[in-house]
Amino acid sequence: MKKVVKFGGSSLANAEQFQKVGDIIRSEESRRYVVPSAPGKRFDGDTKVTDLLYGCYAAAENGEDFDEKLDAIKERYYEIIRGLSLNLSLEEEFQKIREDFKAQAGKEYAASRGEFLNGKVMAAYLGYEFVDAAEVIRFDKNGNLEREKTNKLLYKRLSKCERAVIPGFYGATEDGKVRTFSRGGSDVTGSLVAKAIEADMYENWTDVSGMLVTDPRIVDNPAVIETVTYRELRELSYMGATVLHEEAIFPVRKEGIPINIRNTNRPEDKGTLIVESTCKKPKYTITGIAGKKGFCSINIEKSMMNSEIGFGRKVLQVFEDQGISFEHIPSGIDTLTVYVHQDEFEEKEQEVIAGIHRAVQPDFVEMESDLALIAVVGRGMKSTRGTAGRIFSALAHANVNVKMIDQGSSELNIIIGVENRDFEAAVKAIYDIFVMTQI
Ligand code: ASP
């Protein structure tokens, strides 16, 4: 059994957190490949090492004296090293970083040092081999990941190590220029390593006990999702739920490797398991509720629209020409409504309306702004009758006016449009009816 374990910044913010991580790794023989982030925030209001590095490099780029800033970063690592009683010096590494900053080695190189140094500390602490991500994660000249090449390099290098630490977030081009993923990218590194070594499981350790059924800013202490499929996850993340870097799904999904989201501060919790498919029934009919505010609807009405072939295409062409993507297009016999992101639409509003008039000569066009969309997602809905009925009666009881309903034929989700101001009440009402009543 082989597991890849990735630890986020808050799991590695100080020596105490490192010790928890060490205990977790040592408690299971199979936790052989470790991907660390850079040290994160130790307390509210603290600054992540990655952000300190960006700041320090900005000073170097402006030709300012950056020694003090670099020393503060060094102290973050030495605080950990001392706390773990390690006999490790990072003097050479910091000397090199200082020179490279002076020589303007690039913003991405600067940011990557957070993971690089933390990888060194982690390898020394665990007694694992250190594998520099610059040697095994390959980017092309435009900064895009080279998947095939990376997989080969990782496989070749790691098949020779029984246990290794591979720092997250960065890699390098063929000629050695360091590049990074976007923020939170250590998740992607973990996923690439899991694929390359054909891991049985990719454990992603963070500071929450898994993915929550809904946003804790709306519902107090929401339940944790035990198992979620990749498709459900995609629907929920698209609507704003965040657990993992979006690009972390693809490599493991294709290999059928499950991801387990775990809590470093509560290792006894099982967390959330993300799988390709499962016959496990979800605990509740729904798996999750997510949503976003800030949509706008454009309602186009024309009598006899239903018999006008090509009407929809012509309308959508207008949006395409203005570079606006649409979210939903519910339609009636003589109406067609297009839902779009308000901020994308607002600037081009008049061009779109003129375009629609020219393209389809509607009877009238009406717009409504400040709308929210809520996705109620669940593989369990397909086999349960009355789900939609329960949602709408819950919303009626909460006095929420439903503006739009869209259920895809996959029966994996129901999208509901409400006014922005009803958003929180609507999410709460749906959560209560499915989770609090436990059906
Ligand atoms: N340290 C990087 C960041 O703060 C990458 C990561 O933690 O995954 O975004």
Side-chain angles (χ1 to χ4, degrees):
M1 176 103 155
K2 277 184 286 190
K3 283 186 179 175
V4 170
V5 284
K6 180 257 165 181
F7 291 90
S10 60
S11 302
L12 300 166
N14 57 27
E16 203 190 328
Q17 291 299 89
F18 255 80
Q19 267 152 359
K20 290 185 194 165
V21 167
D23 291 344
I24 290 166
I25 295 172
R26 290 187 201 104
S27 70
E28 256 190 48
E29 189 48 29
S30 57
R31 294 184 173 133
R32 288 170 42 189
Y33 299 96
V34 182
V35 176
S37 282
K41 294 182 183 180
R42 293 161 294 183
F43 43 82
D44 269 357
D46 195 15
T47 311
K48 292 175 168 194
V49 165
T50 309
D51 292 311
L52 293 176
L53 283 160
Y54 280 125
C56 181
Y57 187 71
E61 240 182 348
N62 289 336
E64 293 163 24
D65 179 10
F66 60 90
D67 280 347
E68 211 172 289
K69 288 194 163 67
L70 195 59
D71 282 345
I73 296 167
K74 197 175 179 180
E75 185 42 33
R76 289 287 304 263
Y77 288 97
Y78 275 106
E79 186 188 300
I80 297 171
I81 291 171
R82 281 194 305 271
L84 297 173
S85 311
L86 292 178
N87 184 11
L88 175 72
S89 162
L90 295 176
E91 292 311 307
E92 258 178 46
E93 283 79 2
F94 271 97
Q95 188 53 35
K96 170 104 178 64
I97 291 171
R98 197 168 173 279
E99 282 160 22
D100 290 339
F101 274 30
K102 279 218 152 125
Q104 316 246 316
K107 195 172 157 192
E108 294 185 33
Y109 165 81
S112 77
R113 296 304 87 184
E115 272 69 12
F116 171 79
L117 294 162
N118 226 19
K120 290 263 169 180
V121 177
M122 179 65 92
Y125 176 52
L126 296 172
Y128 281 21
E129 190 172 335
F130 174 81
V131 173
D132 190 351
E135 288 167 25
V136 284
I137 308 280
R138 183 55 51 82
F139 286 85
D140 66 17
K141 291 219 153 40
N142 302 319
N144 298 316
L145 176 72
E146 290 198 65
R147 293 184 182 279
E148 285 305 310
K149 186 86 196 154
T150 296
N151 196 48
K152 281 196 189 120
L153 288 169
L154 276 168
Y155 175 78
K156 208 166 149 215
R157 182 71 177 83
L158 296 179
S159 48
K160 284 188 232 132
C161 335
E162 190 51 28
R163 297 172 181 278
V165 173
I166 310 102
F169 190 40
Y170 72 95
T173 58
E174 182 107 50
D175 51 14
K177 191 170 168 47
V178 169
R179 303 298 303 247
T180 58
F181 294 109
S182 54
R183 296 298 302 262
S186 300
D187 285 345
V188 187
T189 310
S191 181
L192 293 169
V193 174
K195 173 184 157 92
I197 62 143
E198 297 180 352
D200 298 285
M201 175 78 79
Y202 170 25
E203 285 180 351
N204 192 295
W205 292 81
T206 168
D207 53 9
V208 286
S209 289
M211 189 172 176
L212 302 171
V213 171
T214 195
D215 190 336
R217 287 168 298 187
I218 302 176
V219 169
D220 267 352
N221 234 335
V224 170
I225 301 175
E226 287 176 4
T227 310
V228 61
T229 64
Y230 284 116
R231 286 172 69 212
E232 289 173 315
L233 178 67
R234 169 95 183 104
E235 302 275 354
L236 289 167
S237 355
Y238 183 70
M239 289 304 273
T242 48
V243 261
L244 275 179
H245 192 292
E246 218 184 14
E247 288 162 48
I249 312 284
F250 184 71
V252 281
R253 178 176 183 173
K254 276 190 83 185
E255 303 299 310
I257 302 169
I259 306 178
N260 191 187
I261 310 284
R262 299 286 292 265
N263 187 348
T264 301
N265 304 316
R266 289 183 57 90
E268 63 282 11
D269 291 350
K270 283 189 178 157
T272 299
L273 199 60
I274 308 169
V275 295
E276 174 66 48
S277 65
T278 175
C279 61
K280 268 193 228 152
K281 278 242 155 70
K283 193 160 166 195
Y284 314 107
T285 307
I286 57 155
T287 302
I289 312 158
K292 278 188 199 163
K293 289 182 181 175
F295 291 92
C296 152
S297 69
I298 301 99
N299 185 23
I300 303 146
E301 218 169 299
K302 185 178 184 187
S303 53
M304 305 303 284
M305 171 198 291
N306 61 335
S307 55
E308 207 177 309
I309 291 174
F311 190 93
R313 179 185 52 75
K314 288 179 204 154
V315 168
L316 293 181
Q317 185 70 50
V318 176
F319 287 87
E320 184 179 337
D321 291 345
Q322 295 297 332
I324 300 169
S325 77
F326 71 90
E327 293 295 309
H328 295 278
I329 34 168
S331 63
I333 296 173
D334 287 337
T335 64
L336 179 84
T337 309
V338 184
Y339 275 76
V340 291
H341 281 279
Q342 198 158 328
D343 52 0
E344 252 180 64
F345 177 70
E346 261 169 5
E347 284 167 36
K348 312 257 179 73
E349 179 192 78
Q350 295 308 315
E351 287 89 327
V352 173
I353 296 172
I356 292 172
H357 277 284
R358 245 173 266 134
V360 293
Q361 296 86 42
D363 295 339
F364 66 87
V365 179
E366 213 176 34
M367 283 178 294
E368 196 169 347
S369 56
D370 299 323
L371 299 173
L373 293 176
I374 300 168
V376 185
V377 178
R379 59 189 185 279
M381 296 195 313
K382 205 168 181 159
S383 52
T384 317
R385 267 175 242 168
T387 311
R390 294 180 69 199
I391 295 175
F392 298 118
S393 69
L395 291 176
H397 276 111
N399 247 328
V400 172
N401 182 24
V402 175
K403 297 251 157 207
M404 191 269 294
I405 308 162
D406 191 355
Q407 178 179 21
S409 54
S410 66
E411 287 187 61
L412 188 68
N413 67 1
I414 297 178
I415 309 278
I416 299 145
V418 299
E419 282 174 37
N420 272 352
R421 63 188 158 104
D422 286 336
F423 177 65
E424 284 84 5
V427 170
K428 264 195 205 125
I430 301 169
Y431 180 86
D432 283 352
I433 197 77
F434 289 103
V435 180
M436 302 310 276
T437 54
Q438 300 257 339
I439 301 174

